[in-house]
Amino acid sequence: MISLSMRDRIIKEVANGMMKISVFAKVSGVSIKTLRYYDELGLLRPAHVDEQSGYRYYSEEQLLTVKRIASYKEQGFTLEQLKAFFDEDIGTDVVKNKLADKMTELRHAMQTLQLQLAEVNSRMSRLEPSEAGDSAGFIRIREVPSQLAASIRDQAPRSQLCLLLDEITKYATSYGEEEASQLTILWHDPGSENADIADIEVAIPITRDIPVNGRVRVDYLPMLQSAASLVHRCDPYGYSCPVAPELKAWISSQGLVQSDREPIREIYLTSDKDIYGKKRPAELLIPLQGNAL
């Protein structure tokens, strides 16, 4: 709100036909910093600058320029774009072309926003079914169905796990497969968890047969009749599962026996782009001997 003293000052300066920048800022609703920036761009130069004091003075008529700038900005024009509208000799055809260009620009921006909105909505829907799997510490025994998958198996440092996951994801998506949420890691050497080099297989579910090469194979991951399952939250940047000892201890306490015919599996329950926070939901699966269900 303008104080009484400032109001009197405004009335006095307007009556004199010139306003200092501080008064013009109050009257126009534009900050002093913005007015100086308009001056730098050549959009709104002061009507008069005192050579001795350097004070900037604005005229009453220049309020119209402020209103025009605000109007063009509401249409989406940048300050650089709207400068042309102040040219004295600008023709109607030029104005129409510039307005048409802005309409095209705004349509493209709307399309981008629609795509972003659809992606956010898609992520919201993917979060809903995963909420049940977000609870850490839930152990059960379940059957794991067979799944067609593309996979890479390699003897590699554990630190390269992320590279392998990225490689198999890019390979599958290059053949039109969607980036799956449930990437699977198969640890083929459970007895050497502390070794740097590991026998690792990474797999991504696919909907159809896709070409193979010397590194990528396509096959069905075997069905597991029964496996001990532990849903937990794991470090997305880690390359080993810290809850494996806990699940193995539970298996032993239940009088069950880990199978030596199938590798331990870890399934990421969300895709890489759906990680929020420091950890991602995952399921550790240790195959069991016989049918424990």
Side-chain angles (χ1 to χ4, degrees), residues 32-254:
I32 293 175
K33 181 179 179 181
T34 300
L35 289 173
R36 286 174 175 162
Y37 186 49
Y38 287 172
D39 184 10
E40 289 178 17
L41 293 177
L43 276 173
L44 181 60
R45 298 197 181 280
H48 174 70
V49 178
D50 189 288
E51 294 183 359
Q52 294 184 341
S53 65
Y55 287 165
R56 292 178 168 99
Y57 291 89
Y58 292 82
S59 66
E60 204 173 335
E61 295 81 3
Q62 288 181 297
L63 288 172
L64 176 58
T65 302
V66 173
K67 291 179 181 179
R68 291 179 65 190
I69 292 172
S71 175
Y72 299 143
K73 287 172 66 178
E74 286 175 356
Q75 297 168 47
F77 288 98
T78 66
L79 294 178
E80 287 294 337
Q81 290 172 335
L82 64 81
K83 285 174 69 174
F85 294 130
F86 291 95
D87 291 345
E88 290 185 11
D89 300 326
I90 189 169
T92 303
D93 290 343
V94 175
V95 173
K96 285 184 177 179
N97 289 336
K98 288 190 175 296
L99 292 174
D101 289 344
K102 176 53 66 175
M103 288 178 67
T104 301
E105 180 186 325
L106 292 173
R107 287 195 183 101
H108 288 161
M110 287 174 64
Q111 291 172 358
T112 299
L113 288 173
Q114 287 292 340
L115 291 173
Q116 291 172 343
L117 180 61
E119 178 62 20
V120 171
N121 185 58
S122 175
R123 294 194 183 196
M124 285 284 289
S125 64
R126 290 198 295 269
L127 281 174
E128 290 171 3
S130 71
E131 286 176 358
D134 280 350
S135 301
F138 180 61
I139 298 177
R140 61 177 175 141
I141 297 174
R142 76 175 185 92
E143 179 183 279
V144 181
S146 179
Q147 169 69 56
L148 181 65
S151 66
I152 295 174
R153 184 172 177 177
D154 198 0
Q155 299 276 341
R158 291 174 180 268
S159 59
Q160 291 185 9
L161 173 60
C162 194
L163 292 175
L164 292 173
L165 291 167
D166 185 63
E167 182 181 353
I168 194 61
T169 299
K170 286 180 177 176
Y171 186 87
T173 54
S174 71
Y175 286 99
E177 290 292 324
E178 299 228 350
E179 186 176 336
S181 60
Q182 297 197 343
L183 287 165
T184 299
I185 307 163
L186 298 93
W187 299 98
H188 289 276
D189 55 353
S192 56
E193 293 174 1
N194 296 323
D196 180 50
I197 302 298
D199 186 356
I200 308 171
E201 184 176 2
V202 292
I204 184 170
I206 53 176
T207 58
R208 59 185 175 81
D209 278 324
I210 62 175
V212 300
N213 59 27
R215 187 162 172 79
V216 177
R217 63 189 292 263
V218 172
D219 204 349
Y220 281 87
L221 294 178
M223 170 187 173
L224 301 178
Q225 269 196 326
S226 59
S229 162
L230 174 55
V231 175
H232 62 289
R233 299 187 70 83
C234 69
D235 180 358
Y237 300 97
Y239 43 86
S240 63
C241 183
V243 299
E246 178 185 344
L247 187 54
K248 289 180 180 181
W250 182 87
I251 291 171
S252 178
S253 71
Q254 301 298 308

